[in-house]
Amino acid sequence: MRVDQARLEVWGRTIGAEVRPPVTIALVGPLGAGKSVLARAIGVGAGVVDPMPSPSYNLLFEYEASNGRRVVHLDLYRLESPDELWELGWASLGHRDEIVLVEWPERAGDAMPPDHWIVELRPVKGQSTLRDVAVDRAGRPADLPPFPAQLTSDGSR
Ligand SMILES: Nc1ncnc2c1ncn2[C@@H]1O[C@H](COP(=O)(O)OP(=O)(O)O)[C@@H](O)[C@H]1O
Ligand SMILES: [Mg+2]
Protein backbone atom coordinates (compact mmCIF):
# COMPACT_ATOMS: atom_id res chain seq x y z
CA MET A 1 0.00 0.00 0.00
CA ARG A 2 1.08 3.54 -0.70
CA VAL A 3 0.39 6.21 1.89
CA ASP A 4 1.04 9.80 2.79
CA GLN A 5 2.21 10.75 6.26
CA ALA A 6 -1.24 11.54 7.63
CA ARG A 7 -2.52 8.13 6.64
CA LEU A 8 0.53 6.37 8.02
CA GLU A 9 -0.01 8.18 11.31
CA VAL A 10 -3.67 7.17 11.47
CA TRP A 11 -2.61 3.55 11.07
CA GLY A 12 0.08 4.00 13.72
CA ARG A 13 -2.38 5.46 16.20
CA THR A 14 -4.75 2.57 15.50
CA ILE A 15 -1.97 0.09 16.17
CA GLY A 16 -1.08 1.81 19.43
CA ALA A 17 -4.67 1.87 20.56
CA GLU A 18 -5.63 -1.65 19.56
CA VAL A 19 -2.62 -3.95 19.67
CA ARG A 20 -2.42 -6.21 22.70
CA PRO A 21 1.03 -6.30 24.21
CA PRO A 22 3.44 -7.89 24.42
CA VAL A 23 4.29 -7.19 20.82
CA THR A 24 7.48 -6.30 19.00
CA ILE A 25 7.39 -4.36 15.75
CA ALA A 26 10.48 -4.04 13.58
CA LEU A 27 10.54 -0.82 11.57
CA VAL A 28 12.57 -1.26 8.41
CA GLY A 29 13.60 1.28 5.79
CA PRO A 30 16.31 3.77 4.89
CA LEU A 31 17.03 6.99 6.79
CA GLY A 32 14.09 9.35 6.42
CA ALA A 33 11.67 6.57 5.47
CA GLY A 34 9.30 7.41 8.31
CA LYS A 35 10.16 4.77 10.90
CA SER A 36 10.22 7.32 13.72
CA VAL A 37 7.05 8.98 12.42
CA LEU A 38 5.29 5.63 12.64
CA ALA A 39 6.82 4.82 16.04
CA ARG A 40 5.59 8.14 17.45
CA ALA A 41 2.10 7.60 16.06
CA ILE A 42 1.98 4.17 17.67
CA GLY A 43 3.09 5.79 20.93
CA VAL A 44 0.39 8.45 20.72
CA GLY A 45 -2.23 5.79 20.01
CA ALA A 46 -1.01 3.80 23.01
CA GLY A 47 -1.42 6.85 25.22
CA VAL A 48 2.15 8.12 25.51
CA VAL A 49 1.94 11.80 26.45
CA ASP A 50 5.66 12.60 26.68
CA PRO A 51 7.32 13.75 23.47
CA MET A 52 9.15 10.86 21.78
CA PRO A 53 12.48 12.17 20.52
CA SER A 54 14.57 10.08 18.16
CA PRO A 55 16.52 7.67 20.33
CA SER A 56 19.65 8.11 18.20
CA TYR A 57 22.22 8.58 20.96
CA ASN A 58 20.43 6.72 23.70
CA LEU A 59 19.39 3.85 21.45
CA LEU A 60 16.46 3.14 23.78
CA PHE A 61 13.66 5.15 25.32
CA GLU A 62 10.86 3.82 27.43
CA TYR A 63 7.47 5.49 27.95
CA GLU A 64 4.46 5.01 30.13
CA ALA A 65 1.34 4.51 28.03
CA SER A 66 -2.31 4.09 29.00
CA ASN A 67 -3.79 1.09 30.79
CA GLY A 68 -0.52 0.20 32.46
CA ARG A 69 1.19 -0.42 29.16
CA ARG A 70 4.66 0.72 28.21
CA VAL A 71 6.15 1.67 24.88
CA VAL A 72 9.82 0.92 24.31
CA HIS A 73 11.34 2.68 21.32
CA LEU A 74 14.76 1.59 20.10
CA ASP A 75 16.86 2.91 17.25
CA LEU A 76 19.72 0.52 16.63
CA TYR A 77 21.29 2.54 13.81
CA ARG A 78 24.35 3.28 15.94
CA LEU A 79 24.64 -0.18 17.42
CA GLU A 80 28.04 -1.47 16.49
CA SER A 81 27.52 -5.07 17.40
CA PRO A 82 24.57 -7.16 18.57
CA ASP A 83 26.59 -7.77 21.77
CA GLU A 84 25.83 -4.19 22.87
CA LEU A 85 22.14 -5.08 23.01
CA TRP A 86 22.52 -6.75 26.36
CA GLU A 87 23.75 -3.51 27.93
CA LEU A 88 20.49 -1.92 26.83
CA GLY A 89 18.49 -4.39 28.83
CA TRP A 90 17.45 -6.18 25.68
CA ALA A 91 17.05 -9.47 27.53
CA SER A 92 14.20 -8.11 29.65
CA LEU A 93 12.25 -6.46 26.81
CA GLY A 94 8.97 -7.79 25.56
CA HIS A 95 7.26 -8.11 28.90
CA ARG A 96 3.53 -8.60 29.09
CA ASP A 97 2.63 -4.95 28.94
CA GLU A 98 5.21 -3.72 26.43
CA ILE A 99 4.92 -2.51 22.87
CA VAL A 100 8.50 -2.70 21.59
CA LEU A 101 9.35 -0.68 18.47
CA VAL A 102 12.72 -1.37 16.88
CA GLU A 103 14.21 0.84 14.18
CA TRP A 104 17.13 -0.74 12.30
CA PRO A 105 16.34 -4.27 13.55
CA GLU A 106 18.95 -5.54 11.08
CA ARG A 107 21.59 -4.35 13.56
CA ALA A 108 20.28 -6.83 16.12
CA GLY A 109 21.20 -9.76 13.91
CA ASP A 110 19.43 -12.86 15.11
CA ALA A 111 18.83 -11.40 18.57
CA MET A 112 15.37 -10.14 17.52
CA PRO A 113 12.67 -12.03 19.42
CA PRO A 114 11.28 -14.90 17.35
CA ASP A 115 7.77 -13.42 17.19
CA HIS A 116 7.53 -9.95 15.70
CA TRP A 117 6.01 -7.84 12.98
CA ILE A 118 8.12 -6.37 10.23
CA VAL A 119 6.86 -3.09 8.79
CA GLU A 120 8.89 -1.90 5.85
CA LEU A 121 8.64 1.71 4.65
CA ARG A 122 10.01 2.48 1.23
CA PRO A 123 10.32 5.93 -0.32
CA VAL A 124 8.51 6.29 -3.62
CA LYS A 125 10.57 7.60 -6.51
CA GLY A 126 9.57 11.11 -7.48
CA GLN A 127 6.90 11.27 -4.73
CA SER A 128 8.57 12.70 -1.64
CA THR A 129 5.37 12.65 0.42
CA LEU A 130 4.47 9.01 -0.20
CA ARG A 131 5.78 5.73 1.16
CA ASP A 132 5.16 2.15 0.16
CA VAL A 133 4.33 0.11 3.24
CA ALA A 134 4.75 -3.64 3.43
CA VAL A 135 3.81 -5.70 6.48
CA ASP A 136 5.28 -9.10 7.14
CA ARG A 137 5.56 -11.30 10.19
CA ALA A 138 8.16 -13.48 11.82
CA GLY A 139 6.79 -16.25 14.00
CA ARG A 140 3.42 -15.58 15.62
CA PRO A 141 3.20 -12.02 16.94
CA ALA A 142 -0.01 -10.64 18.50
CA ASP A 143 -2.55 -9.44 15.93
CA LEU A 144 -1.85 -6.08 14.34
CA PRO A 145 -4.78 -3.94 13.20
CA PRO A 146 -4.82 -4.22 9.40
CA PHE A 147 -4.14 -1.24 7.28
CA PRO A 148 -7.68 0.03 6.68
CA ALA A 149 -8.37 -0.14 2.95
CA GLN A 150 -9.87 3.33 2.94
CA LEU A 151 -6.58 4.73 4.21
CA THR A 152 -4.60 3.76 1.15
CA SER A 153 -4.34 6.42 -1.47
CA ASP A 154 -4.69 4.06 -4.41
CA GLY A 155 -7.34 1.74 -2.97
CA SER A 156 -4.94 -1.21 -2.90
CA ARG A 157 -3.88 -3.14 0.19
N1 LIG B 1 4.33 9.33 3.74
C1 LIG B 1 5.22 9.64 4.70
N2 LIG B 1 5.35 8.84 5.76
C2 LIG B 1 6.27 9.12 6.73
N3 LIG B 1 7.09 10.20 6.73
C3 LIG B 1 6.99 11.06 5.68
C4 LIG B 1 6.07 10.79 4.64
N4 LIG B 1 6.19 11.80 3.72
C5 LIG B 1 7.14 12.62 4.19
N5 LIG B 1 7.63 12.18 5.37
C6 LIG B 1 8.71 12.85 6.13
O1 LIG B 1 9.84 11.98 6.12
C7 LIG B 1 10.55 12.12 7.34
C8 LIG B 1 10.66 10.77 8.02
O2 LIG B 1 11.52 10.95 9.11
P1 LIG B 1 11.74 9.82 10.20
O3 LIG B 1 10.45 9.24 10.62
O4 LIG B 1 12.62 10.43 11.24
O5 LIG B 1 12.56 8.73 9.34
P2 LIG B 1 13.36 7.46 9.87
O6 LIG B 1 13.04 7.28 11.32
O7 LIG B 1 12.88 6.33 9.00
O8 LIG B 1 14.81 7.75 9.61
C9 LIG B 1 9.80 13.13 8.20
O9 LIG B 1 10.40 14.38 8.03
C10 LIG B 1 8.40 13.10 7.60
O10 LIG B 1 7.74 14.34 7.76
MG1 LIG C 1 14.26 7.16 13.00
Side-chain angles (χ1 to χ4, degrees):
M1 48 239 165
R2 183 163 288 188
V3 295
D4 63 17
Q5 182 167 338
R7 288 169 176 181
L8 184 70
E9 289 177 325
V10 169
W11 183 49
R13 290 196 296 271
T14 309
I15 292 172
E18 294 183 6
V19 76
R20 291 210 203 126
V23 67
T24 299
I25 304 175
L27 302 171
V28 177
L31 280 175
K35 302 180 294 298
S36 295
V37 163
L38 181 57
R40 278 186 206 109
I42 293 171
V44 167
V48 173
V49 291
D50 292 336
M52 292 175 64
S54 286
S56 344
Y57 291 99
N58 270 356
L59 301 186
L60 180 150
F61 276 110
E62 200 162 345
Y63 304 91
E64 304 265 357
S66 57
N67 302 327
R69 298 174 301 168
R70 304 183 72 77
V71 172
V72 184
H73 182 198
L74 297 100
D75 183 336
L76 303 181
Y77 185 66
R78 290 186 172 78
L79 193 77
E80 285 175 7
S81 126
D83 292 343
E84 294 174 28
L85 286 172
W86 312 111
E87 295 161 28
L88 294 175
W90 181 259
S92 60
L93 290 182
H95 281 194
R96 279 186 41 193
D97 54 351
E98 282 177 348
I99 300 171
V100 182
L101 308 171
V102 186
E103 299 188 42
W104 296 98
E106 302 91 331
R107 301 284 200 271
D110 52 18
M112 281 295 286
D115 299 324
H116 62 269
W117 288 99
I118 302 157
V119 177
E120 184 178 358
L121 299 172
R122 245 170 306 135
V124 178
K125 248 193 186 159
Q127 303 270 359
S128 62
T129 62
L130 298 179
R131 302 290 186 267
D132 281 324
V133 185
V135 183
D136 203 354
R137 71 165 97 197
R140 299 185 55 117
D143 286 348
L144 204 64
F147 214 105
Q150 69 272 20
L151 290 180
T152 66
S153 43
D154 60 0
S156 70
R157 299 207 57 162

mmCIF file of all heavy atoms in Angstrom, residues 35-36 54-55 73 75 103-104, ligand 2:
data_model
loop_
_atom_site.group_PDB
_atom_site.id
_atom_site.type_symbol
_atom_site.label_atom_id
_atom_site.label_comp_id
_atom_site.label_asym_id
_atom_site.label_seq_id
_atom_site.Cartn_x
_atom_site.Cartn_y
_atom_site.Cartn_z
ATOM 1 N N LYS A 35 10.222 5.740 9.800
ATOM 2 C CA LYS A 35 10.163 4.770 10.896
ATOM 3 C C LYS A 35 9.819 5.463 12.218
ATOM 4 O O LYS A 35 8.980 4.988 12.982
ATOM 5 C CB LYS A 35 11.512 4.027 11.027
ATOM 6 C CG LYS A 35 11.930 3.305 9.756
ATOM 7 C CD LYS A 35 13.263 2.578 9.910
ATOM 8 C CE LYS A 35 14.472 3.486 10.126
ATOM 9 N NZ LYS A 35 14.726 4.412 8.997
ATOM 10 N N SER A 36 10.484 6.605 12.465
ATOM 11 C CA SER A 36 10.217 7.320 13.722
ATOM 12 C C SER A 36 8.833 7.960 13.707
ATOM 13 O O SER A 36 8.160 8.029 14.747
ATOM 14 C CB SER A 36 11.278 8.391 13.976
ATOM 15 O OG SER A 36 12.543 7.797 14.173
ATOM 16 N N SER A 54 13.903 11.207 18.810
ATOM 17 C CA SER A 54 14.573 10.083 18.165
ATOM 18 C C SER A 54 15.608 9.527 19.124
ATOM 19 O O SER A 54 16.400 10.271 19.694
ATOM 20 C CB SER A 54 15.257 10.529 16.876
ATOM 21 O OG SER A 54 14.278 10.746 15.909
ATOM 22 N N PRO A 55 15.595 8.235 19.346
ATOM 23 C CA PRO A 55 16.518 7.673 20.331
ATOM 24 C C PRO A 55 17.943 7.508 19.818
ATOM 25 O O PRO A 55 18.678 6.675 20.329
ATOM 26 C CB PRO A 55 15.887 6.317 20.671
ATOM 27 C CG PRO A 55 14.931 6.012 19.607
ATOM 28 C CD PRO A 55 14.672 7.244 18.805
ATOM 29 N N HIS A 73 10.961 2.261 22.664
ATOM 30 C CA HIS A 73 11.341 2.680 21.318
ATOM 31 C C HIS A 73 12.860 2.591 21.195
ATOM 32 O O HIS A 73 13.580 3.264 21.920
ATOM 33 C CB HIS A 73 10.833 4.118 21.102
ATOM 34 C CG HIS A 73 11.121 4.667 19.741
ATOM 35 N ND1 HIS A 73 11.091 6.008 19.466
ATOM 36 C CD2 HIS A 73 11.442 4.066 18.568
ATOM 37 C CE1 HIS A 73 11.376 6.207 18.188
ATOM 38 N NE2 HIS A 73 11.602 5.045 17.622
ATOM 39 N N ASP A 75 16.300 2.624 18.566
ATOM 40 C CA ASP A 75 16.857 2.912 17.247
ATOM 41 C C ASP A 75 18.272 2.346 17.262
ATOM 42 O O ASP A 75 19.162 2.882 17.929
ATOM 43 C CB ASP A 75 16.881 4.420 17.001
ATOM 44 C CG ASP A 75 17.384 4.757 15.602
ATOM 45 O OD1 ASP A 75 18.124 3.930 15.021
ATOM 46 O OD2 ASP A 75 17.046 5.837 15.092
ATOM 47 N N GLU A 103 13.688 0.350 15.459
ATOM 48 C CA GLU A 103 14.214 0.843 14.182
ATOM 49 C C GLU A 103 15.575 0.180 13.941
ATOM 50 O O GLU A 103 16.315 -0.061 14.868
ATOM 51 C CB GLU A 103 14.362 2.368 14.220
ATOM 52 C CG GLU A 103 13.034 3.071 14.435
ATOM 53 C CD GLU A 103 13.144 4.585 14.288
ATOM 54 O OE1 GLU A 103 13.825 5.069 13.377
ATOM 55 O OE2 GLU A 103 12.525 5.283 15.124
ATOM 56 N N TRP A 104 15.883 -0.071 12.700
ATOM 57 C CA TRP A 104 17.127 -0.745 12.304
ATOM 58 C C TRP A 104 17.284 -2.102 12.990
ATOM 59 O O TRP A 104 18.334 -2.413 13.559
ATOM 60 C CB TRP A 104 18.350 0.156 12.559
ATOM 61 C CG TRP A 104 18.309 1.378 11.707
ATOM 62 C CD1 TRP A 104 17.861 2.612 12.082
ATOM 63 C CD2 TRP A 104 18.664 1.491 10.325
ATOM 64 N NE1 TRP A 104 17.924 3.486 11.019
ATOM 65 C CE2 TRP A 104 18.424 2.820 9.933
ATOM 66 C CE3 TRP A 104 19.167 0.586 9.377
ATOM 67 C CZ2 TRP A 104 18.649 3.280 8.631
ATOM 68 C CZ3 TRP A 104 19.406 1.043 8.088
ATOM 69 C CH2 TRP A 104 19.141 2.372 7.722
HETATM 70 MG MG MG B 2 14.255 7.159 12.999
#
